[in-house]
Amino acid sequence: MEEQQEIYAMPRINDDAPAFTAETTQGTINFPSDYKGKWVILFSHPADFTPVCTSEFMTFASMQDEFKALNTELVGLSVDGLYSHIAWLRTINEKIEYKGMKNVEVTFPLIEDITMNVAKKYGMIMPGESSTKAVRAVFVIDPVGKIRTIIYYPLSMGRNFDELKRVVIALQTADAFNIATPADWRPGDDVIVPTAGSCGTAKTRMEGKEGEMKCYDWFFCTKPLAEEKVYKAIKK
Ligand code: BEZ
């Protein structure tokens, strides 16, 4: 007989972030209520004491202040227990020197999820990849607890943390200026003026001032948005 695969829930963009209470390396957290008013990156990794995950934690922890400046908190998760988390983070801090990073302290909470309660709620277990480990999932959650971006990576691939920062900045900029961001957008690049009926709830082009707008066709218009303006609007 064919083996039946367990079906796991998959939250979707614009859903409310599923609520949970969990033990972490920084104490108990009630998610997402403890983070009301802040952006959060909730991310999972497959296992403590593994190389790709170690490189990721060192990189993310080294960028924590950059995320804090964007009113963004980091919360990690794996299906390991608290003592494993603590021992691994201590090893990273005391022993690992990698790409110029040394004595890295991970001060953001790392959730213990031995029961896979949280991992299953967030669709972090993908049995085709592994039924005993979480994949590298990333959920960007906004200050009212809505999921705004979801990205998944397989076990073998370390994430690009500059891209995750770009995602947070792009979401915050879209909210602050009612615009959308084109491919590979970075602060200082032109932004997209949404046409009627496109780009979610952003105001339509017809309602906006058309000042320095450049149109490539009727459905594709951009306008400049200075880098200073972006950072003034979104930086804490
Ligand atoms: C790693 O982080 O190196 C890793 C973890 C699980 C499977 C494969 C690689």
Side-chain angles (χ1 to χ4, degrees):
M1 215 169 69
E2 229 179 80
E3 203 184 307
Q4 286 258 303
Q5 273 199 344
E6 207 177 333
I7 310 280
Y8 300 121
M10 298 279 290
R12 290 164 296 194
I13 289 177
N14 258 337
D15 283 355
D16 289 330
F20 62 85
T21 298
E23 294 310 318
T24 83
T25 48
Q26 304 291 323
T28 308
I29 60 169
N30 295 299
F31 197 90
S33 53
D34 287 353
Y35 293 89
K36 207 169 161 209
K38 291 179 184 298
W39 290 77
V40 188
I41 299 181
L42 172 67
F43 68 102
S44 57
H45 70 275
D48 299 344
F49 292 101
T50 53
V52 178
C53 301
T54 300
S55 70
E56 289 193 317
F57 265 67
M58 294 183 76
T59 308
F60 225 175
S62 301
M63 292 174 72
Q64 192 177 359
D65 287 347
E66 295 172 49
F67 283 97
K68 275 199 185 293
L70 297 167
N71 190 30
T72 302
E73 299 294 325
L74 312 177
V75 179
L77 173 148
S78 80
V79 303
D80 299 291
L82 207 51
Y83 294 117
S84 166
H85 285 344
I86 291 166
W88 178 46
L89 299 186
R90 186 176 295 164
T91 304
I92 287 176
N93 176 245
E94 292 175 357
K95 296 197 181 147
I96 314 277
E97 184 172 351
Y98 173 71
K99 284 198 163 173
M101 295 178 282
K102 193 179 168 183
N103 301 125
V104 173
E105 250 189 275
V106 175
T107 57
F108 57 79
L110 175 49
I111 295 168
E112 78 155 355
D113 193 29
I114 306 173
T115 59
M116 296 193 187
N117 174 38
V118 181
K120 286 180 181 175
K121 270 190 180 175
Y122 275 81
M124 292 165 171
I125 305 294
M126 302 211 166
E129 183 74 338
S130 170
S131 51
T132 57
K133 295 178 177 66
V135 293
R136 300 180 200 281
V138 180
F139 292 85
V140 182
I141 296 162
D142 74 13
V144 295
K146 286 235 182 281
I147 295 174
R148 299 288 298 276
T149 297
I150 303 173
I151 312 175
Y152 287 102
Y153 298 73
L155 302 187
S156 62
M157 192 194 300
R159 284 161 277 208
N160 181 318
F161 293 93
D162 282 331
E163 169 61 4
L164 300 187
K165 186 175 165 192
R166 194 187 75 89
V167 167
V168 170
I169 292 172
L171 289 169
Q172 294 181 349
T173 303
D175 286 0
F177 295 96
N178 266 314
I179 50 80
T181 50
D184 297 332
W185 177 85
R186 299 248 166 213
D189 293 347
D190 288 357
V191 294
I192 288 180
V193 184
T195 48
S198 75
C199 299
T201 57
K203 283 202 188 80
T204 68
R205 181 157 56 92
M206 304 311 289
E207 296 165 50
K209 283 204 195 113
E210 305 216 348
E212 297 174 80
M213 205 157 74
K214 175 175 176 182
C215 288
Y216 299 87
D217 205 328
W218 62 269
F219 63 92
F220 183 7
C221 295
T222 63
K223 67 176 182 183
L225 179 57
E227 187 176 351
E228 310 82 77
K229 267 195 180 172
V230 168
Y231 284 121
K232 193 165 175 223
I234 68 173
K235 281 257 187 185
K236 257 208 325 181

